[in-house]
Amino acid sequence: MARNHTQPGPAGAPATAPPVPTMPAMPPMPAGPRLGARTRAQADDALDGSVRRALEKYSPAYVVIDGNHDIVRFSGRTARYLGPSTGSASLNLFSLLHRGLRSAARTSVQQASSQHRVVVQEGLGIDVEGQRQALRLIVAPLQEADGGKDLYVVAFDDIERTPANAPTGGAGAESARISVLEQELEHTRQQLHAAIEQQETANEELMSANEEYQSVNEELQSANGELEASKGEMQSINEELQTINAELQGKNDTLARLNNDLQNLMESTQIATLFLDTALHVTGFTSGMGQVFHLREGDRGRPITEIATRVHYSQLQDDVKQVLRTLSPVERVLRGGDGVPTYLLRARPYRTVDNVIDGTVLTFVDITEREEQEAERARLAAIVEWSKEAIIGYSLDGTITSWNAGAERVLGYQPRTVIGQSLAMLLPAGQDGQFQRLLAACADPEGVSKFEGTWRRQNGSTVAIDLSCSPVKDASGNVVVGSAIARDVTDRRRADRALHDSEFRLAAILEQTSMGLAQTDVEGRFELVNPRFCDIVGRTARELYRLRVRDILHPDDVQQNLDLISALLAERSHFQLDVRFVRPDGSVVWTSNSVTAMLGGDLAPQHIISAVLDITQQKLASQHVALMLDELNHRVKNTLATVQAIAMQTLTQSTSMDAFRAAFGARLLALSNTHNLLAHDAWTGAQLRDIIASELAPYLRDRDSAEQARARLAGGDLLLNPKMALALSMAIHELATNASKYGALSGTQGDVTVRWHARDEGGQPWLHLSWTESGGPAVTPPARRGFGTRLITEGLAFELDGEATLDYAETGVSCVIHVPLSEAAP
């Protein structure tokens, strides 16, 4: 049997508890922040760790549990004592502990917890791998609890292994077995003793609780008696309350019914109603008030002056004060605008059932429709009264009931003279059939009857009238009176006859006029054309009736014409425009169009009338004149610029005024000669041969003369445009002037050869011209570049986008000019 260390020994005295097996020591905490101390602590920790690892297999296995018996740490080989049990996972010690150890462990943990001491259980045993293993169970509270929690260490110390099937013979074995049984018996006695003590303690606590329960029960019985007495009183009070509640319920039903009736009355009348107290605070309103004021349920209690209104009512505060002061109602018409209705305001004092004035009631009645009807009625009355036509109302038997100013003007009768009389007084003798038609038209509820007739004026004369008769119905659709509108058509009949004659004359004019006339609809489709218009556009009337104006207009003029037509239809304004028509053969004819709109009876454009004149010749002449003026202006500007450049450069290079006059005059003469050549052919161009010959004329001889020529020209006919002719003439002039002063033409033996030809280079024609001097004095290159040199080398490159080179060889000056012909074209 297991033996507890607290039981007495064999002699009856308390036995000394065997020493508790030493647990692996915890590493000491660092003593301080010094570097040497930390180094020694780290060495001690490493040494302690080595010692624990070396003695771990000789130390007992243990676990650390908290106050709820949950394991917080495992150490050693605890697998033989602990193992998971069936069910949900748990770390509770008694759920994991071997069944043979649970009772002893529970008792030891309770003792260690209640007595705060180490408890050791001896002589315990469990079966491990078929052998009986004796062990010692140790439970000890930990002195340093983690964070104030109660922690306990439970250690399992193995003593020896006894095979389960070992023989029991021998005195020693028997003695050992007896010793084990005694320990187990002693252990059982201790458990029984502890259980008895716990039961006695529980019994005492139960008896104490029972006494308390009896005391409470007596108090409850006393309270129950009081409650029974109160119950009777409450029963009588409840009966009285039920009677009062029934009366209140009846009154509430009546009040709810009255509220419903009042609410339905307010909603059915569709009258916006506002209730104000004497301080102008909102106390209530109907749903229709949302159309008058910006009111919400949360606005109850707010001053009405702080709430925006949808209608203009600046007299609200004054009207309410007047009602409260005089106790008489106030009425006012509030006219809305921009979609806001018109309201009839009625403000009355609010009286309680005790006849006490407690505020005001404002009602807003929508009278928009009534106002519109009255305005419409007034408008119709004004139309009837001031209409130019005679509008006469009469009863079903033909008695005149109304007579407007138009009737007085057309027939001459005063209203007091005819109202109450029969329509027959207006008809000439023998017109009984017309009177019957008037009565029949009045009685016919289906529509309007129109016919012509003759009536009699007050002065006895007759007037031709156009009658429109219709019935007038009441709200039920029954015919009550008749209405006749009489128009004086005497002038119209006379005009119809004149119109017939004028139409005949107009048709003759349209056929014979020299101006093209066309009538189209608003979409531009031809409706009527005269012969002259057909001649102008080169199409027959039959062809034009299948086309629109845009179909024969020049494409560049279509959009402008459409824009002007749109403006014409919108603004009914006349416009005049020069447009081009394209004939079937592709030729274009310029025309001057005068366009206007023909209005219909509703003053809306119905047709478009176009009067067309052929101005093709005038347009061509005008364009030619404009072209000639532009060309003349351009040439004069270019000539003036050239003269200015010649003057400035000649003045810069001249050493005296006489030299300037001579050089400037010669250059102007060369320019003038070239202008003469260009003017001879109307500035269409000049032959290159003629330009060179005009500059070298003194040195050329007649081909039939025997005298030797000192200037030879070699090249074919080449027509230059004005720009190229002027530029090359100035260059040839400078070369000829230099040759006559200093070069081959300054003496009697020298000569000049000019050759030119046109050739194609890269698909573009180029002019190649060479000037060669020979036989003159020896040539010395100039020390500086004068105006003539720059004019040749730089001017040609700039003006004609070509190139020119001068070579001052000792035998004579040579110049090569290379310019494109097409680039120089105007």
Side-chain angles (χ1 to χ4, degrees):
M1 177 175 285
R3 185 175 58 183
N4 192 297
H5 287 174
T6 60
Q7 295 297 325
T16 303
V20 178
T22 303
M23 302 296 174
M26 298 297 290
M29 296 299 292
R34 292 179 302 173
L35 180 60
R38 285 199 301 269
T39 304
R40 288 193 299 273
Q42 292 174 358
D44 293 342
D45 290 345
L47 180 60
D48 290 342
S50 299
V51 172
R52 283 198 302 273
R53 287 191 297 272
L55 298 179
E56 183 176 4
K57 61 182 179 178
Y58 302 106
S59 300
Y62 67 91
V63 294
V64 178
I65 63 175
D66 58 11
N68 296 324
H69 306 152
D70 290 333
I71 300 174
V72 298
R73 185 182 296 276
F74 296 89
S75 179
R77 294 175 294 175
T78 59
R80 65 175 65 186
Y81 314 112
L82 304 175
S85 59
T86 304
S88 59
S90 174
L91 288 176
N92 189 273
L93 173 65
F94 304 117
S95 297
L96 301 177
L97 196 60
H98 193 284
R99 290 185 178 275
L101 297 177
R102 291 183 182 178
S103 176
R106 190 182 302 275
T107 302
S108 299
V109 170
Q110 290 177 354
Q111 292 179 359
S113 174
S114 61
Q115 301 176 9
H116 301 286
R117 63 181 182 83
V118 179
V119 178
V120 180
Q121 293 282 354
E122 297 284 356
L124 300 179
I126 59 174
D127 294 331
V128 179
E129 297 178 357
Q131 295 181 355
R132 188 69 175 177
Q133 174 67 55
L135 58 87
R136 179 185 299 115
L137 180 65
I138 305 168
V139 180
L142 297 181
Q143 295 180 356
E144 296 180 0
D146 184 11
K149 297 180 181 179
D150 294 333
L151 299 178
Y152 304 91
V153 59
V154 181
F156 309 95
D157 186 15
D158 293 340
I159 298 176
E160 62 180 355
R161 290 179 180 267
T162 304
N165 54 0
T168 58
E174 185 66 24
S175 176
R177 179 174 180 80
I178 293 172
S179 177
V180 170
L181 292 175
E182 288 179 351
Q183 293 178 359
E184 291 180 358
L185 178 60
E186 184 64 25
H187 176 65
T188 302
R189 287 176 179 174
Q190 292 178 0
Q191 291 181 346
L192 180 60
H193 181 70
I196 292 172
E197 291 179 351
Q198 292 177 359
Q199 183 179 3
E200 291 177 351
T201 302
N203 288 335
E204 292 176 356
E205 294 176 354
L206 183 60
M207 290 176 64
S208 176
N210 190 27
E211 292 176 355
E212 293 178 358
Y213 289 154
Q214 289 179 354
S215 175
V216 171
N217 189 25
E218 293 175 355
E219 294 177 358
L220 288 176
Q221 288 178 355
S222 174
N224 191 25
E226 296 177 357
L227 289 175
E228 287 293 336
S230 299
K231 181 179 180 181
E233 298 176 359
M234 292 295 295
Q235 185 67 27
S236 61
I237 294 174
N238 190 28
E239 291 175 356
E240 295 177 1
L241 290 176
Q242 286 179 353
T243 303
I244 297 173
N245 189 30
E247 294 176 357
L248 290 177
Q249 184 65 32
K251 292 182 179 180
N252 286 336
D253 293 341
T254 303
L255 181 59
R257 182 65 181 177
L258 291 175
N259 285 335
N260 292 333
D261 293 343
L262 181 60
Q263 182 68 24
N264 284 282
L265 176 62
M266 291 293 187
E267 297 295 334
S268 63
T269 56
Q270 296 183 350
I271 298 176
T273 306
L274 176 65
F275 300 93
L276 302 177
D277 60 11
T278 55
L280 274 71
H281 291 177
V282 177
T283 59
F285 54 89
T286 61
S287 59
M289 282 303 300
Q291 302 297 324
V292 185
F293 286 85
H294 293 275
L295 281 169
R296 297 176 296 180
E297 288 298 326
D299 292 330
R300 296 180 187 273
R302 290 182 58 191
I304 190 63
T305 54
E306 296 181 359
I307 300 175
T309 177
R310 299 180 187 271
V311 296
H312 181 69
Y313 187 18
S314 58
Q315 304 88 354
L316 171 62
Q317 191 170 359
D318 296 336
D319 289 348
V320 172
K321 290 181 179 179
Q322 179 180 346
V323 170
L324 294 176
R325 184 177 65 255
T326 63
L327 301 182
S328 59
V330 172
E331 287 192 1
R332 188 184 299 275
V333 176
L334 304 178
R335 303 191 181 278
D338 297 332
V340 179
T342 300
Y343 293 98
L344 174 63
L345 165 70
R346 292 190 178 96
R348 293 183 175 87
Y350 182 91
R351 298 178 184 271
T352 65
V353 293
D354 300 328
N355 200 25
V356 176
I357 304 302
D358 194 23
T360 54
V361 180
L362 285 75
T363 58
F364 298 83
V365 181
D366 187 350
I367 59 171
T368 305
E369 185 176 356
R370 190 185 75 182
E371 290 283 310
E372 293 176 351
Q373 291 176 353
E374 290 179 355
E376 181 66 15
R377 188 180 299 110
R379 186 180 67 84
L380 293 176
I383 292 174
V384 171
E385 181 64 24
W386 299 105
S387 175
K388 294 181 179 180
E389 286 81 10
I391 302 177
I392 304 169
Y394 57 94
S395 61
L396 299 180
D397 59 357
T399 302
I400 299 174
T401 58
S402 64
W403 188 269
N404 74 333
E408 182 180 353
R409 182 177 60 256
V410 172
L411 299 174
Y413 293 98
Q414 296 290 330
R416 64 177 180 273
T417 305
V418 295
I419 292 178
Q421 302 297 323
S422 175
L423 285 172
M425 67 173 293
L426 304 175
L427 303 177
Q431 296 290 331
D432 295 337
Q434 189 175 165
F435 181 72
Q436 296 300 325
R437 293 186 66 180
L438 289 171
L439 296 181
C442 176
D444 183 9
E446 296 301 327
V448 179
S449 298
K450 295 183 179 180
F451 54 92
E452 294 183 356
T454 302
W455 282 14
R456 184 177 58 192
R457 290 192 176 101
Q458 186 180 17
N459 58 12
S461 62
T462 59
V463 58
I465 59 172
D466 186 3
L467 276 172
S468 296
C469 301
S470 60
V472 179
K473 303 177 182 179
D474 59 10
S476 301
N478 300 319
V479 177
V480 291
V481 293
S483 173
I485 301 176
R487 299 179 181 86
D488 184 357
V489 295
T490 303
D491 295 337
R492 190 184 71 183
R493 290 181 181 178
R494 186 182 302 112
D496 288 342
R497 289 192 296 270
L499 179 62
H500 181 268
D501 297 338
S502 64
E503 286 179 351
F504 178 78
R505 291 193 298 271
L506 179 60
I509 293 173
L510 290 177
E511 291 293 329
Q512 300 174 16
T513 183
S514 61
M515 178 181 291
L517 296 174
Q519 174 182 311
T520 66
D521 61 9
V522 294
E523 298 295 332
R525 298 181 182 86
F526 286 102
E527 297 176 334
L528 180 66
V529 292
N530 71 338
R532 178 54 183 158
F533 185 84
C534 296
D535 294 339
I536 293 175
V537 300
R539 288 176 171 84
T540 65
R542 184 183 298 274
E543 292 174 340
L544 290 173
Y545 292 155
R546 295 194 297 266
L547 300 175
R548 293 182 297 181
V549 175
R550 70 179 68 175
D551 298 331
I552 63 175
L553 281 177
H554 191 278
D556 295 341
D557 297 340
V558 171
Q559 188 59 47
Q560 183 182 10
N561 185 73
L562 291 176
D563 294 341
L564 291 175
I565 291 295
S566 298
L568 171 67
L569 297 176
E571 303 173 5
R572 302 176 178 84
S573 59
H574 170 82
F575 73 88
Q576 187 164 354
L577 175 68
D578 292 347
V579 296
R580 291 165 288 180
F581 288 109
V582 180
R583 290 173 173 171
D585 59 0
S587 61
V588 177
V589 56
W590 275 96
T591 62
S592 175
N593 282 13
S594 180
V595 185
T596 186
M598 180 184 294
L599 306 182
D602 57 353
L603 299 182
Q606 299 293 332
H607 309 280
I608 298 174
I609 306 298
S610 300
V612 181
L613 284 176
D614 186 353
I615 59 170
T616 304
Q617 297 301 323
Q618 294 90 320
K619 276 288 183 180
L620 294 178
S622 176
Q623 292 175 357
H624 181 70
V625 170
L627 179 63
M628 293 298 294
L629 289 176
D630 291 343
E631 181 67 20
L632 177 62
N633 184 41
H634 177 69
R635 290 173 182 172
V636 170
K637 288 181 180 179
N638 289 342
T639 301
L640 291 177
T642 302
V643 171
Q644 183 181 10
I646 292 173
M648 294 300 297
Q649 293 297 329
T650 304
L651 181 62
T652 304
Q653 301 296 326
S654 300
T655 58
S656 64
M657 184 57 65
D658 293 337
F660 169 73
R661 289 194 189 96
F664 184 61
R667 287 166 177 162
L668 287 184
L669 181 60
L671 183 63
S672 175
N673 292 335
T674 305
H675 273 251
N676 290 334
L677 292 174
L678 292 171
H680 183 269
D681 292 326
W683 280 83
T684 58
Q687 289 288 337
L688 178 59
R689 177 181 291 278
D690 295 339
I691 294 174
I692 299 174
S694 67
E695 296 295 335
L696 297 176
Y699 307 101
L700 293 174
R701 296 294 180 265
D702 189 8
R703 293 181 181 178
D704 297 334
S705 175
E707 186 178 355
Q708 179 68 29
R710 299 185 60 190
R712 293 182 293 277
L713 307 182
D717 292 339
L718 184 60
L719 183 65
L720 303 179
N721 60 44
K723 181 179 181 180
M724 180 174 280
L726 290 173
L728 287 177
S729 68
M730 295 302 298
I732 297 298
H733 173 75
E734 293 299 327
L735 290 172
T737 302
N738 186 70
S740 63
K741 289 183 178 181
Y742 313 108
L745 301 180
S746 62
T748 59
Q749 302 298 323
D751 58 17
V752 174
T753 301
V754 184
R755 293 184 174 87
W756 68 88
H757 64 274
R759 62 187 180 190
D760 186 79
E761 297 181 7
Q764 180 180 354
W766 284 71
L767 170 65
H768 184 81
L769 184 146
S770 63
W771 170 286
T772 305
E773 300 180 16
S774 61
V779 176
T780 301
R784 62 184 181 86
R785 300 178 65 190
F787 171 66
T789 301
R790 293 200 306 275
L791 178 64
I792 296 171
T793 58
E794 298 176 4
L796 292 179
F798 176 76
E799 291 289 334
L800 305 181
D801 198 18
E803 60 180 358
T805 58
L806 282 171
D807 184 16
Y808 295 95
E810 186 176 356
T811 57
V813 176
S814 64
C815 178
V816 177
I817 298 174
H818 191 220
V819 294
L821 291 174
S822 59
E823 292 293 334

